[in-house]
Amino acid sequence: MGKLLNAQRVVFLSHSAELAGAEILMLRLLSEPMFDDVKVLLFSHGELCEKFAALGISASVIETKSLHDFRRNGSAFSALSKIRPMVATAKNLSSHLRSGDLLVASSQKAFVLGCLVKMFRKDVGPLIWWLHDILTKEHFSSTNLRTVVLLSKLFASKVICTSEEVRSAYEAAGGKRSKASVVEPGIDLRIFTAEHETSRKRTKTAISLSRISPWKGQRNFLDALALLPDANGLIVGAPLFGEQDYFEDLKKHASSLGLDDRVTFMGHRDDVAEVLRSATVFVHVPDAPEPFGQVVIEAMACGLPVVVSNEGAPGRICSGGGGILVPPNNPSRLAEAINKVMSKPDYRGELARKAKTISAKYDAASMRRNFLRALNEV
């Protein structure tokens, strides 16, 4: 692994310590040595702290209440009311930094804090925004969208986007293309493999694996299964960021559809590869475009045919035949696709082989090389 041209300390900032997509990607990036000196600063306690400790990486928690109440789809008044605590948090963050530190912010909130630090500390090194979101009004208020894009123009030395879709949305929102690079996520292909499959597979079992969230498409997944009386379903994942109520509503919805005997809510699992290999088909059709979708690549690497949305990065990745593309918010079309995979073994095998070939391009080692190359462009 190469090194940064300027051998400064690299500090990763994350507002969350839960294992959501951005945090999992940060763990994967740093699971192999990349930098001579690296530190992680988090703004809440959680499982991520233990994961970094196990890797021998210094991770500190900066306590704050301001970030938990700050919503990316909040109003201008709401944002203004958080300025004072955000400034206080930024000053606290600044005390943990050295002159010349290169900052990598892995969320919108962490990026805003990094910008505030740059206002206070002229001696801090470049600020990198590791952008995991598609910047649209579906997920961000107009105020927050304009604010983060303006801040990126003023303070970010580089915006590292997780897909071309993320970069295109950033540019469409007013961001500078000259600042944006694409570094697509990678997975550990030694773990996510089709080998050692668990009795392939449960008969006609579709699996949905992602964070439990209203936009991730679990409700439509249930509606599709209700149209397939011979199909079983696995829903893997846990609610984060105050979405427990949605999780309870989701389970009630499954009961109302008569799916209690056919759908299993498995919660968070660490043995993701094994769980994926136990299913027949992987389904990921969120209501809004997916910025990348690491779990889609994981499923493909495990030899699963996939059914994904025709919008967002998964639709592009699978457009070469690695999966079936369906429109979002359309349970009947989703049910047709699932049934096609389940009822045609030869077709299922062809999809699985193509999916495996496509997934081979997304290895973690390539991601690390590309990330380091983007940093060296600063």
Side-chain angles (χ1 to χ4, degrees):
M1 181 63 64
K3 298 296 182 182
L4 283 176
L5 297 180
N6 297 314
Q8 66 265 64
R9 185 174 68 163
V10 180
V11 180
F12 285 80
L13 309 176
S14 175
H15 81 274
S16 172
E18 304 295 340
L19 291 181
E23 288 70 38
I24 291 172
L25 185 55
M26 184 163 55
L27 270 175
R28 284 182 175 161
L29 183 78
L30 298 177
S31 63
E32 297 290 339
M34 284 187 66
F35 310 106
D36 291 328
D37 195 357
V38 62
K39 185 175 181 64
V40 175
L41 294 177
L42 308 171
F43 298 96
S44 62
H45 290 279
E47 191 175 358
L48 197 59
C49 302
E50 299 173 4
K51 296 289 186 181
F52 277 119
L55 292 174
I57 293 175
S58 173
S60 301
V61 177
I62 299 174
E63 296 287 357
T64 174
K65 294 182 180 180
S66 61
L67 290 181
H68 305 307
D69 299 328
F70 188 84
R71 296 288 181 262
R72 62 186 185 180
N73 59 353
S75 65
F77 178 79
S78 175
L80 286 171
S81 69
K82 303 298 187 300
I83 287 180
R84 183 172 294 179
M86 288 285 284
V87 169
T89 301
K91 289 182 177 179
N92 188 7
L93 168 61
S94 180
S95 68
H96 291 259
L97 300 176
R98 304 173 188 162
S99 178
D101 278 347
L102 185 151
L103 308 182
V104 180
S106 66
S107 70
Q108 180 198 11
K109 298 172 185 178
F111 175 63
V112 172
L113 286 171
C115 292
L116 291 173
V117 167
K118 292 287 287 183
M119 293 180 190
F120 307 140
R121 294 274 304 272
K122 303 302 181 184
D123 64 323
V124 172
L127 172 62
I128 312 299
W129 187 11
W130 195 3
L131 181 55
H132 303 266
D133 299 309
I134 293 179
L135 297 180
T136 67
K137 294 180 181 179
E138 291 176 286
H139 294 296
F140 295 83
S141 71
S142 297
T143 298
N144 285 345
L145 201 58
R146 289 193 298 268
T147 299
V148 293
V149 170
L150 175 60
L151 289 174
S152 74
K153 292 178 178 179
L154 295 174
F155 296 104
S157 297
K158 172 73 71 174
V159 179
I160 297 180
C161 305
T162 52
S163 69
E164 189 56 54
E165 289 75 12
V166 170
R167 177 164 66 178
S168 295
Y170 170 71
E171 289 181 51
K176 290 185 177 180
R177 183 177 182 85
S178 59
K179 286 194 174 187
S181 295
V182 174
V183 177
E184 292 190 310
I187 65 172
D188 189 337
L189 294 172
R190 298 167 299 181
I191 296 174
F192 294 96
T193 172
E195 298 176 4
H196 312 299
E197 294 177 355
T198 56
S199 64
R200 174 86 90 187
K201 288 178 173 167
R202 299 193 194 186
T203 304
K204 294 186 176 181
T205 300
I207 184 170
S208 168
L209 195 159
S210 69
R211 188 182 106 216
I212 302 295
S213 176
W215 75 276
K216 286 291 189 178
Q218 290 99 356
R219 189 180 180 91
N220 287 322
F221 177 67
L222 292 173
D223 290 340
L225 289 176
L227 301 174
L228 300 170
D230 295 330
N232 299 311
L234 301 175
I235 293 182
V236 185
L240 301 174
F241 314 125
E243 294 169 328
Q244 183 64 38
D245 288 346
Y246 169 72
F247 188 33
E248 297 304 320
D249 288 343
L250 199 64
K251 289 187 285 188
K252 290 177 182 177
H253 185 59
S255 295
S256 72
L257 295 172
L259 295 174
D260 286 339
D261 294 334
R262 293 199 284 125
V263 172
T264 302
F265 290 87
M266 302 185 73
H268 172 74
R269 295 288 294 257
D270 288 323
D271 56 339
V272 171
E274 183 176 352
V275 173
L276 285 170
R277 287 190 288 262
S278 72
T280 313
V281 57
F282 175 80
V283 177
H284 188 68
V285 187
D287 298 351
E290 180 70 65
F292 182 78
Q294 297 174 71
V295 70
V296 176
I297 304 299
E298 294 171 356
M300 295 168 77
C302 287
L304 275 178
V306 300
V307 179
V308 299
S309 172
N310 58 6
E311 299 180 358
R316 169 180 53 83
I317 292 168
C318 297
S319 61
I324 300 179
L325 277 56
V326 299
N329 297 300
N330 195 323
S332 61
R333 289 283 298 277
L334 179 55
E336 290 174 9
I338 294 172
N339 184 60
K340 184 177 181 180
V341 174
M342 289 183 170
S343 62
K344 297 183 177 182
D346 291 343
Y347 178 65
R348 184 167 66 242
E350 179 185 352
L351 282 181
R353 286 190 293 274
K354 290 181 178 178
K356 184 73 176 174
T357 299
I358 292 171
S359 69
K361 299 185 296 184
Y362 295 93
D363 66 288
S366 294
M367 172 185 64
R368 295 186 189 100
R369 287 193 297 270
N370 294 335
F371 196 90
L372 197 62
R373 185 179 301 116
L375 293 186
N376 276 320
E377 292 172 355
V378 174

